[in-house]
Amino acid sequence: MINETPRVRFAPSPTGYLHVGGLRTALYNYLFAKRNNGTFVLRIEDTDRNRYVEGAVENLIKALNWAGLNYDEGPEVGGNSGPYLQSERLDIYKKYADELIEKGKAYYCFCTPERLKSLKEEQEKQKLPQAKYDKHCLNLSKEEIANNLAAGIAKVVRLNVEQNNTIKFDDIIREHVEFESNNVDDQVLIKSDGYPTYHLANVVDDHLMKITHVIRGEEWLSSTPKHVLLYDAFGWERPIFAHLPLLLNPDRSKLSKRQGDVAVEDYRDKGYLKDALINFVALLGWNAGDDKEFYYMDDLISCFSLERVNKAGAIFDLQKLNWLNAEHLRKKSDSELLEMLKSEIQKSKFKNGNYSDKFLLLIIQSMKERVSFIKEFIDTCTYFYEAPTEYEQKAIEKNWKPDIPDQLIKLKEEIASLNNPTKEDYEHALAKVSEELNVGKGKLIHPLRLAVSGQSTGPGMFDLLFILGKDEVVKRIEAAVKSISV
RNA sequence: GGCGCGUUCGUCUAGUGGCUUAGGACACCGCCCUCUCAAGGCGGGGAUCACGGGUUCGAAUCCCGUACGCGCUACCA
């Protein structure tokens, strides 16, 4: 099996959105498949009818595609091992459950929820180490079973776990793991509604779909003995397991909605780049063994290996994500940024404004080093899109001296006299006025910036003037001189 | 409670018995650059490697125990 080209799968249950932990699991599966020329399968684990969510599968696929995790087989794209929705494979599970019953590895259970409940309560009262099903229905006679079946009494199928065994298996990340079979419950395999539980379905499907490596979250480690028992009962070869460490909240509990955003859609909507999210999540629990921190998907593919995945959970730290987002943003070409900015403008209050590509490109070039998110090309520098309506109070106090208005008027006149000024022309104009007035350039620049942008921070002064253009600069200086008073 | 997994700067991590006075990155602080803010460069603080025992000439690295955290303990996945 190891020599075959690997086939891996991401098997989420459709809860309505893609969890970032799920994104990381999917990513590691994808990277492993691509790295080894293998196949990445998407399988939807929708065997819980109570949890059915409208449109969930579509959302999941959309999020996966957005992140660039394109699967080779699965819903919508098809493949030779379908169907890829477990709800469409019910007859298959039934067949294999029957095979298990025949072999004595599983059995019908007719116990009512009430009996199960009181059994559990009784066991808890006796302070038994663990609450387990008591195999009551394993002792039913053939006649009793036949009668119950014929009478249509509600039933489930349970795994018949042999006692006093040690269940052993290997895991790429955890190495060797052992469980005592006495601690393993006779898990329900087929529910009373005829749907399989995860345990049966995932084993049957992984085998039928020829999955070679099961790469999933650590929350599955405890139920792996059940899966191992099933492989053995069927006489099937076990896949290679790799249980990934969990993603954590800042308080080290399992990453959850309560403590922030968990859906990849949330991050997408907040303006995170898919490259940054992928880069970040890849590094949560894995590294190549060197100091490299900036990766594109292709780089990840070429150096990923399961052997280098960590054992311990990792806190999802927004600060580092933000930094990576800025890094990835700066690596984008101006034309890519232009397209992103244009669609961002459509979502902003400036959507009705008429801005040329040339103008927006100038904004991008001047602001690129100063932003972490696309939307900051708008809201950290609204002065590019509209004249300032108010002026930063602190900056007024610091730089707006009594003789400033007169000086700025002089500068304004100088600028007004320029013909089609370049950035350098503005610079010369300011130098000239500062000399005539005998004041330092800095004494002029700061109030000028305030007058023209309303702020004390931003791109280089002369870039700013050039981008705004002569007429706008003149207008803004006049407006500022009128409205700013100390 | 039981079972399982884990534990290196605040966070992500390097480290697989001597190269380590434990390295890098994010964040933080300072300096340089400079018209501001960034970016960039340089530097700084920050980890008794969870704790306690062993093994060894030598341990973050191997073994045992303890503590703590997390996961599982469903006719959920």
Side-chain angles (χ1 to χ4, degrees), chain A residues 229-398:
Chain A
L229 251 21
L230 283 168
Y231 283 104
D232 294 354
F234 283 119
W236 295 339
E237 188 178 1
R238 284 136 65 149
I240 294 165
F241 293 105
H243 286 93
L244 273 19
L246 263 20
L247 258 33
L248 275 21
N249 289 314
D251 69 356
R252 301 211 82 90
S253 56
K254 188 173 163 183
L255 190 63
S256 68
K257 245 178 180 169
R258 287 193 66 102
Q259 298 191 35
D261 293 314
V262 293
V264 337
E265 294 91 310
D266 293 334
Y267 290 93
R268 181 198 61 203
D269 295 346
K270 285 192 166 176
Y272 287 95
L273 264 17
K274 66 167 186 185
D275 304 288
L277 227 210
I278 289 290
N279 189 161
F280 174 63
V281 123
L283 258 16
L284 249 30
W286 170 87
N287 73 85
D290 53 26
D291 288 339
K292 191 172 157 130
E293 305 258 17
F294 184 92
Y295 287 90
Y296 288 115
M297 188 73 95
D298 287 348
D299 307 326
L300 291 169
I301 290 171
S302 64
C303 47
F304 184 79
S305 80
L306 288 171
E307 284 74 14
R308 291 205 58 87
V309 173
N310 292 143
K311 299 173 199 289
I315 293 173
F316 195 89
D317 173 30
L318 258 354
Q319 282 186 323
K320 193 148 187 176
L321 209 209
N322 291 341
W323 168 73
L324 273 173
N325 206 63
E327 289 288 298
H328 277 275
L329 204 60
R330 281 181 214 117
K331 288 271 172 47
K332 296 268 181 213
S333 70
D334 290 352
S335 58
E336 280 177 288
L337 293 173
L338 175 63
E339 290 316 307
M340 291 190 264
L341 175 54
K342 279 161 122 177
S343 73
E344 196 64 40
I345 287 173
Q346 286 315 305
K347 290 186 261 170
S348 78
K349 64 170 174 169
F350 300 119
K351 64 169 176 287
N352 296 320
N354 186 22
Y355 311 105
S356 70
D357 286 1
K358 204 177 143 199
F359 176 70
L360 295 176
L361 246 9
L362 287 170
I363 295 176
I364 287 167
Q365 283 151 8
S366 71
M367 292 299 293
K368 207 170 179 175
E369 308 274 78
R370 287 164 241 266
V371 302
S372 298
F373 294 90
I374 287 290
K375 62 166 174 276
E376 291 176 350
F377 279 114
I378 302 172
D379 41 56
T380 66
C381 52
T382 55
Y383 47 80
F384 282 125
Y385 306 89
E386 64 179 2
T389 50
E390 49 190 36
Y391 301 87
E392 221 179 87
Q393 192 53 40
K394 263 194 172 161
I396 293 176
E397 286 160 17
K398 193 174 174 205

Side-chain angles (χ1 to χ4, degrees), chain A residues 5-25:
Chain A
T5 60
R7 286 175 59 84
V8 297
R9 80 319 192 260
F10 175 51
S13 70
T15 54
Y17 59 91
L18 177 57
H19 191 281
V20 287
L23 176 72
R24 206 233 356 214
T25 302

Side-chain angles (χ1 to χ4, degrees), chain A residues 85 216 384:
Chain A
L85 256 50
R216 80 233 290 196
F384 282 125

Side-chain angles (χ1 to χ4, degrees), chain A residues 47-48 86 89-90 93 188-191 193-201:
Chain A
T47 55
D48 186 354
Q86 290 187 327
R89 301 170 64 83
L90 264 30
Y93 308 125
V188 170
L189 264 19
I190 301 277
K191 300 180 247 183
D193 64 3
Y195 277 67
T197 56
Y198 171 86
H199 307 287
L200 205 226

Side-chain angles (χ1 to χ4, degrees), chain A residues 68-117:
Chain A
L69 301 180
N70 304 312
Y71 48 92
D72 305 301
E73 293 179 24
E76 291 186 6
V77 309
N80 296 324
S81 307
Y84 295 92
L85 256 50
Q86 290 187 327
S87 57
E88 295 173 7
R89 301 170 64 83
L90 264 30
D91 50 334
I92 299 174
Y93 308 125
K94 168 89 172 66
K95 178 187 151 210
Y96 284 101
D98 288 347
E99 181 184 329
L100 250 22
I101 292 171
E102 204 146 310
K103 286 180 169 173
K105 303 289 189 182
Y107 59 96
Y108 286 115
C109 170
F110 302 93
C111 290
T112 62
E114 291 70 35
R115 179 175 123 77
L116 261 19
K117 194 176 168 217

